[in-house]
Amino acid sequence: MFWRGRERENKEQNSGLPCGQVRVLVVGDSGVGKTSLVHLIVKGSSVARPPQTIGCTVGVKHITYGNSGSSSNSIKGDSERDFFIELWDVSGHDRYQNCRSLYYSKINGVIFVHDLSQRRTKTSLQKWAADIAATGTFSAPLGSGGPGGLPVPYIVIGNKADIAAKEGIRGSSGNLVDVARQWVEKQGLLSSSEELPSTESFPGSGGLLAAAKEARFDKEAVMKFFHMLIRRRYFSDDLSAPNAWSTPVQRPLQRSGEKLSDEDQLYKEYTFNWGALQV
Ligand SMILES: Nc1nc2c(ncn2[C@@H]2O[C@H](COP(=O)(O)OP(=O)(O)OP(=O)(O)O)[C@@H](O)[C@H]2O)c(=O)[nH]1
């Protein structure tokens, strides 16, 4: 009864359409900053001392998506709808190695996190990908696999850029801002006069909040990832794009006059990320 009532309530608040739900795994070695990242995405603020994750915790990000915003958000003839992005923050600790696959269920997408100051945490993402691909179940899978055979879209986030910078470790990508910057630059979307905001520390004390407030572009990149997963799950006509992963396209920058949808652009970005995992 309770659920029926809630369902009806949800539909009424949502122009008669049920809420959608997308499941995203957040994985990487212990201590790379997954819980901190999920907190930032869900709450928009830093967490001073995140507890070590026991097994898995789930953060939920509510977003609306539909055609009342920009045209890039539009869905064929649909009005705005509510969606819940479940962020499954899986403990990276070895003690959970044998039971992790319990959480690898009905996955729509994956966020891989590594610590820029610990090179091995990036190398081990390949292992994470293979493990998820081998033991997980997937919702709206791609026609062919990505790293380790992973059949869903993913994004790679290098964390602790502040420590890496202090220690003089050169990394190709840093915080969320850097990830977004690289993506935008790859797409050729920045004119020479435009600069993305840059944050030196993420998410060190104080710096994180500033990053969350100022970093318009990093949030945008992550939100676009979520939007793409929603489209794939709820609005895609053809989920089995042939060989989307198997041939990472070294595509030149977007040319003027050439029109790509947001999805196309992100899709390309994800294929570039294939390279990011090959370290
Ligand atoms: N300096 C710095 N510290 C960070 C950053 N991100 C996270 N931390 C710290 O790193 C430690 C581990 O962060 P968590 O978010 O708990 O890491 P996790 O990946 O969830 O770890 P597990 O739960 O063991 O899998 C915490 O003390 C965080 O405050 C960062 O960008 N810079």
Side-chain angles (χ1 to χ4, degrees):
M1 275 308 277
F2 172 75
W3 287 109
R4 288 251 167 88
R6 288 297 294 269
E7 205 174 283
R8 195 164 49 235
E9 209 173 276
N10 280 342
K11 282 187 180 178
E12 276 160 13
Q13 284 170 1
N14 209 11
S15 327
L17 293 163
C19 295
Q21 164 230 338
V22 162
R23 185 169 298 174
V24 178
L25 282 187
V26 183
V27 295
D29 289 354
S30 182
V32 294
K34 300 180 293 296
T35 304
S36 310
L37 175 70
V38 169
H39 198 277
L40 175 65
I41 293 172
V42 173
K43 311 258 189 217
S45 64
S46 62
V47 52
R49 274 181 218 85
Q52 193 180 59
T53 305
I54 298 171
C56 174
T57 57
V58 182
V60 179
K61 171 89 179 158
H62 168 248
I63 60 177
T64 54
Y65 184 66
N67 68 0
S68 68
S70 72
S71 60
S72 64
N73 278 359
S74 71
I75 295 168
K76 305 167 242 157
D78 235 337
S79 59
E80 269 210 343
R81 283 179 61 178
D82 289 320
F83 292 92
F84 294 106
I85 311 295
E86 296 177 0
L87 295 159
W88 287 50
D89 171 11
V90 180
S91 171
H93 200 282
D94 286 345
R95 82 170 73 101
Y96 299 106
Q97 199 166 0
N98 294 332
C99 65
R100 263 188 217 123
S101 56
L102 286 174
Y103 312 118
Y104 298 165
S105 165
K106 298 180 189 159
I107 305 160
N108 288 100
V110 180
I111 297 180
F112 291 103
V113 187
H114 67 98
D115 177 345
L116 286 164
S117 66
Q118 304 278 338
R119 201 172 281 268
R120 66 182 162 69
T121 63
K122 187 174 180 189
T123 313
S124 69
L125 292 183
Q126 188 73 41
K127 181 174 59 68
W128 280 96
D131 192 32
I132 295 166
T135 58
T137 61
F138 302 91
S139 170
L142 293 159
S144 60
L150 187 74
V152 285
Y154 68 97
I155 188 168
V156 181
I157 292 178
N159 199 20
K160 304 200 185 183
D162 53 328
I163 298 179
K166 239 182 261 167
E167 294 175 359
I169 298 164
R170 281 169 61 88
S172 60
S173 69
N175 52 37
L176 281 170
V177 173
D178 292 334
V179 170
R181 177 194 299 280
Q182 285 177 0
W183 174 72
V184 170
E185 283 173 355
K186 264 182 197 155
Q187 304 307 324
L189 299 178
L190 278 186
S191 76
S192 54
S193 58
E194 274 180 302
E195 285 249 322
L196 283 170
S198 149
T199 49
E200 291 310 315
S201 66
F202 176 84
S205 55
L208 183 84
L209 194 54
K213 280 188 183 150
E214 294 161 16
R216 183 168 60 89
F217 287 91
D218 62 31
K219 275 191 257 177
E220 208 170 294
V222 172
M223 291 306 282
K224 280 185 174 174
F225 178 60
F226 295 157
H227 288 171
M228 193 261 273
L229 297 181
I230 290 170
R231 284 183 80 99
R232 292 199 73 256
R233 167 135 195 220
Y234 290 95
F235 305 102
S236 179
D237 291 333
D238 178 18
L239 290 175
S240 54
N243 291 325
W245 293 98
S246 56
T247 47
V249 190
Q250 291 302 315
R251 197 175 181 285
L253 299 179
Q254 186 184 3
R255 311 228 183 283
S256 60
E258 185 182 6
K259 280 220 162 224
L260 288 175
S261 70
D262 280 356
E263 259 80 337
D264 289 336
Q265 293 176 12
L266 282 163
Y267 214 61
K268 298 291 188 292
E269 169 61 1
Y270 300 136
T271 57
F272 285 129
N273 277 338
W274 169 261
L277 284 176
Q278 290 177 325
V279 286

